[in-house]
Amino acid sequence: MMQYVIKGGNPLVGDVVIGGAKNAALGILAAAIMADEDVTIENLPDVRDINVLLEAIEGIGAKVCRLDAHTVRINGSSITAVRVNDDFIKRIRASYYLLGALLGKYRKAEVSLPGGCNIGSRPIDQHLKGFRGLGASVAVEHGMVVAEARQLTGGHIYLDMVSVGATINIMLAAALAEGSTILENAAKEPHIVDVANLLNSMGANIKGAGTDVIRIKGVPKLHGTTYSIIPDQIEAGTFMFAAAVTMGDVTVKNVIPKHLEAISAKLKEMGCEVIEFDDAVRVVCKSRLKYTHVKTLPYPGFPTDMQPQISVALSLAEGTSMVTESIFENRFKYVDELARMGANIKVEGNVAVISGVRRLMGADVSAPDLRAGAALVLAGLAAEGHTVVDETKYILRGYERFDEKLRALGACIYQAEDDKDISRLKLEVV
């Protein structure tokens, strides 16, 4: 089992290049199978979730050609099955995007119920409501979601709650439905816009992505295209907070600064200098961080996927901070691990009260999920002594060459495969 061994105390300094957005790529890969021509996707992140989804796409018969680590060509003309039932696909949340893609193209789809990180209840009722609003019948049978329709017809769909996944799934299905669809209370995240732009480049007619009302006029078919995925907002934010917790100076390159405004605003409140360029953001931290309060919200609010990272930073800040998690109820599972490192955090319901301490101490901790795992790595980079982060499989789901990029900034972080490896690294990395 892979683990990270970290020796903290080094300020991170230098430049880091951000890869393509995982959350956008998952929806885009599903959309790519909807054409019977070549769809070439560039700036694809080489992470576990992406590779699992590509295996599933290939498993139903689509042609998948990995041109290089960050480019793939997909052709959906050879698809022979609309049933996706694979042990791997159950482990990633985005398996459900194949529902919308297959339903739109073939009027039938059977996909395993989604898996992913256990960060709280993430029902797919809004997805199913959207499919029914397009005229499909939907049922859950033996762990599979089964959706089918003799004809998909555009409709007026109002989401009861803002849902990124449901917004993307409904866009996928409605792109090939007959007539027009109006989707209200839609999610506005950057990757919603990215999936819509990809679909439009394939011949779809989607307007309003990035607002709370999306209008989709169905087209008979989609065609091939070449498309480059936007930079990953969450990877960028993680490195921005890595600079803050280590009192470093890091320039985060290949980003869209507007997508990072909520993150940048909080870093400024905490006393960091944030300098924006056309496609880069520089974060400089010269003194102890200051307290602040934060509440996770749908975009353009502060992202829930950045909540563990800011909590690590606030655990080192002067004063008492409050972090309110309004999206997922199990997102504070990392708090006990952080407490092992000396953090002073109390959780009541969906609110964490954080009294900042001057230092964290290295400890053996376990990553409970993807973003919490990355946050515990940040804590290890800031802590005194050695930290061992277990269950790095979660981190590898969403961060490409995470340890390598951190080492390039001056971090002492290495991979270990067993206890013997850990003992050796602790002696060598001093």
Side-chain angles (χ1 to χ4, degrees), residues 293-343:
H293 304 310
V294 63
K295 180 178 182 179
T296 63
L297 291 167
Y299 187 84
F302 192 88
T304 180
D305 279 358
M306 285 301 304
Q307 183 256 95
Q309 297 90 314
I310 195 172
S311 295
V312 167
L314 293 173
S315 71
L316 289 164
E318 184 177 3
T320 300
S321 306
M322 292 179 62
V323 177
T324 303
E325 174 57 56
S326 70
I327 311 295
F328 297 122
E329 69 269 21
N330 287 349
R331 196 118 221 193
F332 287 120
K333 291 196 300 180
Y334 63 90
V335 164
D336 289 343
E337 301 301 300
L338 203 53
R340 292 163 62 89
M341 302 178 71

Side-chain angles (χ1 to χ4, degrees), residues 31-39 74-77 105 202 222-224:
I33 71 171
M34 298 175 69
D36 287 337
E37 300 173 4
D38 287 349
V39 176
I74 296 172
N75 189 306
S77 63
K105 185 177 184 182
M202 295 169 66
L222 299 175
H223 56 69

Side-chain angles (χ1 to χ4, degrees), residues 103-177:
L103 179 63
K105 185 177 184 182
Y106 297 109
R107 302 302 192 252
K108 185 172 183 179
E110 300 180 30
V111 179
S112 298
L113 283 167
C117 290
N118 182 19
I119 55 175
S121 175
R122 295 188 282 181
I124 62 169
D125 58 308
Q126 297 303 298
H127 305 239
L128 308 189
K129 174 183 178 178
F131 296 152
R132 292 184 180 115
L134 297 173
S137 63
V138 187
V140 178
E141 302 172 356
H142 309 293
M144 304 283 291
V145 180
V146 180
E148 58 184 320
R150 294 183 65 180
Q151 179 176 307
L152 286 181
T153 306
H156 195 143
I157 301 167
Y158 186 94
L159 296 179
D160 299 322
M161 57 178 290
V162 175
S163 167
V164 171
T167 300
I168 290 177
N169 239 339
I170 295 166
M171 280 200 309
L172 292 172
L176 290 176

Side-chain angles (χ1 to χ4, degrees), residues 12-213:
L12 300 190
V13 178
D15 300 346
V16 62
V17 178
I18 300 305
K22 175 183 79 81
N23 290 335
L26 293 166
I28 282 171
L29 290 177
I33 71 171
M34 298 175 69
D36 287 337
E37 300 173 4
D38 287 349
V39 176
T40 302
I41 307 300
E42 301 171 342
N43 200 34
L44 188 73
D46 186 14
V47 296
R48 179 182 169 275
D49 277 15
I50 296 300
N51 297 327
V52 169
L53 186 58
L54 285 173
E55 285 182 25
I57 288 171
E58 197 167 25
I60 59 175
K63 296 174 184 175
V64 176
C65 180
R66 200 73 179 254
L67 302 180
D68 58 45
H70 302 109
T71 309
V72 67
R73 184 171 63 234
I74 296 172
N75 189 306
S77 63
S78 55
I79 289 175
T80 56
V82 294
R83 180 181 175 90
V84 185
N85 183 13
D86 184 273
D87 287 339
F88 286 105
I89 206 70
K90 293 175 185 176
R91 300 178 196 171
I92 65 169
R93 185 70 184 166
S95 62
Y96 54 39
Y97 290 143
L98 294 175
L99 277 168
L102 291 170
L103 179 63
K105 185 177 184 182
Y106 297 109
R107 302 302 192 252
K108 185 172 183 179
E110 300 180 30
V111 179
S112 298
L113 283 167
C117 290
N118 182 19
I119 55 175
S121 175
R122 295 188 282 181
I124 62 169
D125 58 308
Q126 297 303 298
H127 305 239
L128 308 189
K129 174 183 178 178
F131 296 152
R132 292 184 180 115
L134 297 173
S137 63
V138 187
V140 178
E141 302 172 356
H142 309 293
M144 304 283 291
V145 180
V146 180
E148 58 184 320
R150 294 183 65 180
Q151 179 176 307
L152 286 181
T153 306
H156 195 143
I157 301 167
Y158 186 94
L159 296 179
D160 299 322
M161 57 178 290
V162 175
S163 167
V164 171
T167 300
I168 290 177
N169 239 339
I170 295 166
M171 280 200 309
L172 292 172
L176 290 176
E178 295 185 17
S180 297
T181 298
I182 299 175
L183 177 58
E184 293 201 60
N185 199 29
K188 298 181 282 189
E189 271 72 4
H191 43 286
I192 301 288
V193 179
D194 214 30
V195 174
N197 287 343
L198 173 277
L199 286 167
N200 284 339
S201 77
M202 295 169 66
N205 187 342
I206 302 173
K207 297 179 180 178
T211 75
D212 59 0
V213 180

